[in-house]
Amino acid sequence: MMSKILLNKNITSFSSHKIYAFIKEFSVEDLSYLNERELEIWNDKKRLLRNGNNWVIGRVTAKYSIAQCLDINPEEMKNLYIQNSSNGAPYFSDKRMNNLVFSISHCSEVGFSCSSTIHLSIGCDIEKIRKRHPKFQSYYLSVSEENQWIKEVVGEDRNTILTIAWSCKEACFKCLSSIKEEFTETINDIKIYPFSERVYDFKFVYRNKEGYGYWEKYKNFIISIAVLL
C-alpha cells in the first residue's frame, strides 16, 4: 500500500515503493537539460507555442525522476531522449530501459513526473485547483464516486475535492493507457474511491484490473500518482 509522500522542496519520493517523483516550476535553465534533438524540436516547434514551457518542464522533471530511479548522474540527464508515441505517450527507444515505466504531467508551467522499475504501469497528473463547469464532474465521476469523495475528504471545499478526484482519475487513465493492451474506454469507465482510513490514498478498478494511488496538495495544485497491481 502506498504511504504518504512528503514534499521536500522540489523532490518527492515513494522510496519504500521504488517510485520516484519530481515536481518543479519552469525556469530558463531547464533548457540546458534538453538534448540536441529536443532542442531542435523546441526551437522549430515548441518555443513560440502557448504551452511550450510546459513541454520543457515536463521532460525535465521526467529526467530528474528517471535519474533518481536508475541512479543516473545528474550531469548525464541531458543524454536522455524522451520520445512520444502517436497517442502522445512518452517512451524511450533504448532497450536498456525496458523495465522502466514513467509518466509526465504539467500545468501552468509546473512539471510533475514519476518513474519506477518494479511496477507494471504508472501514471501521474497535476491539476490547478479551480472552479469548473457545474456539469463537468459528470464527465469523469459517477454519482456514487462523487458522494464518496465528498464524504471522505473533509476540510476541503467542493472545488478542491472535485479537482482531487479529477487528477486521480487522470493519473489512473494514463496508467491504464500505457499498458500493452489497448485501453479504448472512456475515463468514466474507471472507478476510483478514497480509503476512509487513509484519505490521501485511493484505489481504482477497471474491468478485471485494479490499482492504488496517492494524491497530495502542492501550492494551489493537486498532484497524484497511480500504479497498476
Side-chain angles (χ1 to χ4, degrees), residues 168-191:
C168 293
K169 186 73 71 105
E170 274 282 288
C172 295
F173 186 85
K174 289 182 180 180
C175 180
L176 288 165
S177 298
S178 65
I179 59 178
K180 292 182 178 179
E181 302 172 31
E182 188 176 1
F183 179 72
T184 58
E185 307 301 323
T186 67
I187 198 168
N188 207 9
D189 293 305
I190 308 167
K191 302 305 177 185

Side-chain angles (χ1 to χ4, degrees), residues 82-93:
I82 300 172
Q83 298 175 260
N84 294 94
S85 62
S86 58
N87 67 355
Y91 74 95
F92 286 107
S93 57

Side-chain angles (χ1 to χ4, degrees), residues 105-157:
S105 187
H106 44 67
C107 178
S108 301
E109 299 191 1
V110 178
F112 179 54
S113 302
C114 61
S115 61
S116 178
T117 56
I118 67 170
H119 292 279
L120 175 64
S121 185
I122 198 168
C124 73
D125 187 67
I126 179 170
E127 299 288 340
K128 195 168 188 176
I129 300 172
R130 62 183 176 87
K131 185 177 181 179
R132 292 175 170 83
H133 191 281
K135 295 184 179 180
F136 179 62
Q137 65 265 23
S138 63
Y139 163 69
Y140 64 96
L141 283 179
S142 66
V143 174
S144 63
E145 287 175 293
E146 181 180 349
N147 289 340
Q148 188 160 346
W149 279 93
I150 291 174
K151 175 185 176 183
E152 299 295 348
V153 182
V154 296
E156 301 289 354
D157 61 74

